[in-house]
């Protein structure tokens, strides 16, 4: 995962033989900046997807969740 100031880019690969659903989550540094949970994206077997998100000012934490 790459974080540059207020933008985050994550690349996810699905090594499983069935589809996986991934989602990018952001916690923003400023108290007034809304934290976000991106939409779930389906990744087919042996596929890769790029997830992007941003905060207005700065990103505190970013992570990806998945559900098979």
């Amino acid at each position: 995962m790459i974080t540059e100031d207020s933008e985050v880019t994550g690349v996810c690969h699905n090594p499983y033989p069935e589809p996986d659903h991934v989602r990018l989550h952001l916690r923003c540094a400023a108290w007034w900046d809304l934290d976000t949970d991106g939409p779930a994206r389906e990744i087919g077997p042996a596929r890769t997807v790029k997830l992007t998100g941003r905060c207005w000012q700065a990103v505190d934490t970013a992570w990806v969740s998945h559900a098979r």
Side-chain angles (χ1 to χ4, degrees):
M1 187 141 350
I2 299 170
T3 303
E4 292 182 16
D5 298 322
S6 63
E7 298 182 8
V8 174
T9 303
V11 177
C12 297
H13 178 74
N14 180 9
Y16 304 111
E18 62 272 341
D20 195 4
H21 294 83
V22 295
R23 178 178 243 179
L24 179 65
H25 306 274
L26 298 179
R27 179 166 290 142
C28 300
W31 64 268
W32 48 263
D33 203 349
L34 297 176
D35 299 339
T36 60
D37 296 318
R41 299 267 313 266
E42 183 176 303
I43 307 175
R47 298 286 185 183
T48 301
V49 68
K50 181 194 276 187
L51 303 172
T52 60
R54 64 169 304 182
C55 294
W56 281 100
Q57 191 172 45
V59 175
D60 181 40
T61 308
W63 69 96
V64 174
S65 63
H66 76 98
R68 290 182 20 197

